[in-house]
Amino acid sequence: MSVEAVRIPTQAGVARAAEKIAAILPPTPLLPFTCREQQVYAKAECLQPIGVFKIRGAWHRLSDLTEEERAAGVVGVSSGNHAQGVAWAARRLGIAAAIVMPADAPQVKLARVRELGAEVVTYDRRTEDRDAISRALAAERDATLVHAFGDAWVIEGQGSTGIELSAQMQALAGGDPTRIITPLGGGGLAAGLALACPDAEIVGVEPEGWDDVARSLATGTIQRVAADAPATACDALQTPATWPVNFAVLNGRISAVTVSEAEVRAAQRFAFAQLRLVLEPGGATALAAALAGKVALDGRTALVLSGGNTDAASFARVLEEAA
Amino acid sequence: MSVEAVRIPTQAGVARAAEKIAAILPPTPLLPFTCREQQVYAKAECLQPIGVFKIRGAWHRLSDLTEEERAAGVVGVSSGNHAQGVAWAARRLGIAAAIVMPADAPQVKLARVRELGAEVVTYDRRTEDRDAISRALAAERDATLVHAFGDAWVIEGQGSTGIELSAQMQALAGGDPTRIITPLGGGGLAAGLALACPDAEIVGVEPEGWDDVARSLATGTIQRVAADAPATACDALQTPATWPVNFAVLNGRISAVTVSEAEVRAAQRFAFAQLRLVLEPGGATALAAALAGKVALDGRTALVLSGGNTDAASFARVLEEAA
């Protein structure tokens, strides 16, 4: 099955996803720390078994497939983190998975997807259209296409982060989160958080030059990243544009800010020294925005540390910049 | 008050410490991962607010002081991690703290103790006796001496790690831990775990050449580290000898193995890549022993990742060794 009517993600769907995920994965910790003299809380999704929150959406999607759909397999499309989520869930459910990944994805991500038993199909990020390739592959195999963010199940699954976070914030700080700051790429996690936590302000954080969602929110229509967008270390956030299923949730509901590459590296160093956590660049943008004073903070502000899949050489260079 | 009768740590004391600590600190996560094709569980004490388990014993000790004792202040003695625990607890309780630290302690540890508001008194690790210096300082001020490991409260407090770990293992793996592998320096944490988990096998892991506890266990009497012990990156485990209050618990109860410096660095890299955690060398010895096949593993084996206070330059060098 390669085409179906677009399902709209719902708050009830997020709640159901959270229950399914709680049954197989312990909650990631919500870690209190001091940022600009304010106690805030970090949701450490980098501590998921695959090092990133993407395990949530992939699990919700794949575990909802019918027996017939499972037998036909799945096709994922991803810069590397969603790929690991799909591969992890597929292996656990005994489903064949093929993942369409950019040939220049971090080696550590390519290797891990293969280790998890998935087939990797590479494409050239500059000249080829990953969505067209993955659609064709899914059609050819009659497999289910599992998009990295433009999918109701994936959005609902990522939203389970907000359900966990709210329960933990209540226990630690006596109330629901007032504000959640999150890395923002295609808008799967941000849309999920918006559905999960209807009373919280949601602030997405994009890398400079990759602010397509910020411009989409400003104009009320989906905008694309410029063809000459600058290089960014945030490979996980290099999405050309958000999708309608995401934008329908995000528009009028969230705000967005940007951070520089240097601010991202400073956040990686802060997480190393103060939280003893490894963050990949794209997983550090929310922390970067908080540290740089780009978002207001209060006593029930949470920020999502969304992933930690980076290679040793890159991380060593980030550390040495300050040493 | 600088002298008192030696109190013996008890299992009931560990239970009481665990309750006190649960009231102020959320549990650190117990993270499942695969080691030598076996699922095992890592207790991530590096995620404590001060980056190390030492916050537990310090809190149990200082919060049990009388009003009069609190007014007179405390003196700690530490290579840097216990120092941060005492400074953290003292600040929270409004107690003046002076910490005796080696002049060559990692800069990051010296700086953090000062940031937490404690007075730092340095000594020369090669020529001066830290216990004599700290006893004299405590006597001069009529302050309470809070030893890094040779103290019943400190042992009981560290033991709360085992209480948390057991509850988490029951939830994740359906039973109590069968074996707990832990870094081993003076024996505060190891003794606490032995009291907390009477049915678990406890395996302590010392750096090569710093195997004084292993030799003490073999001979049944407390042995000292050799005067010409090799250099080790595990500054947190550089204790010349365990103390009688610890050895009384450890002798006949635990076993000990050693790991090489290279095995420790390999474990730091594994934690970086597979767990997205920053470990200091001394916090990585249990993981090193597990990875190197020096301890048997089963489905309810836990290992303690005891601390993550390392500086950027040192960690970058460890990462680059493999890159």
Side-chain angles (χ1 to χ4, degrees), chain A residues 59-83:
Chain A
W59 180 254
H60 184 45
R61 183 75 185 97
L62 269 63
S63 59
D64 261 15
L65 293 177
T66 64
E67 283 306 312
E68 193 185 349
E69 289 167 332
R70 291 185 191 195
V74 295
V75 171
V77 52
S78 165
S79 66
N81 278 332
H82 172 65

Side-chain angles (χ1 to χ4, degrees), chain B residues 53-77:
Chain B
F53 71 96
K54 297 278 190 178
I55 199 168
R56 298 175 179 273
W59 179 254
H60 184 46
R61 183 74 185 98
L62 268 64
S63 59
D64 261 15
L65 293 176
T66 64
E67 283 306 314
E68 192 185 350
E69 288 167 333
R70 292 185 189 195
V74 295
V75 171
V77 51

Side-chain angles (χ1 to χ4, degrees), chain A residues 237-264:
Chain A
L237 306 181
Q238 284 184 301
T239 42
T242 188
W243 276 28
V245 66
N246 305 82
F247 195 59
V249 175
L250 300 175
N251 193 21
R253 170 69 182 90
I254 79 159
S255 60
V257 300
T258 61
V259 286
S260 71
E261 298 293 306
E263 286 165 344
V264 168

Side-chain angles (χ1 to χ4, degrees), chain A residues 17 48 58 64 88 105 115 145 234 273 295 298 308:
Chain A
Q48 291 287 7
D64 261 15
W88 187 91
E115 278 167 24
L145 183 61
C234 301
V295 186
D298 65 26

Side-chain angles (χ1 to χ4, degrees), chain A residues 298-321:
Chain A
D298 65 26
R300 296 213 304 269
T301 295
L303 44 93
V304 182
L305 309 178
S306 55
N309 292 319
T310 182
D311 64 272
S314 304
F315 199 73
R317 280 194 298 275
V318 170
L319 292 182
E320 281 167 346
E321 186 179 329

Side-chain angles (χ1 to χ4, degrees), chain A residues 17 27 55 61 82 110 118 120 128 152 165 179 211 220 228 271 292 299 307 321:
Chain A
I55 198 167
R61 183 75 185 97
H82 172 65
L110 289 161
V120 172
E128 296 186 277
L165 189 166
R179 182 181 295 112
D211 60 341
D228 61 348
E321 186 179 329

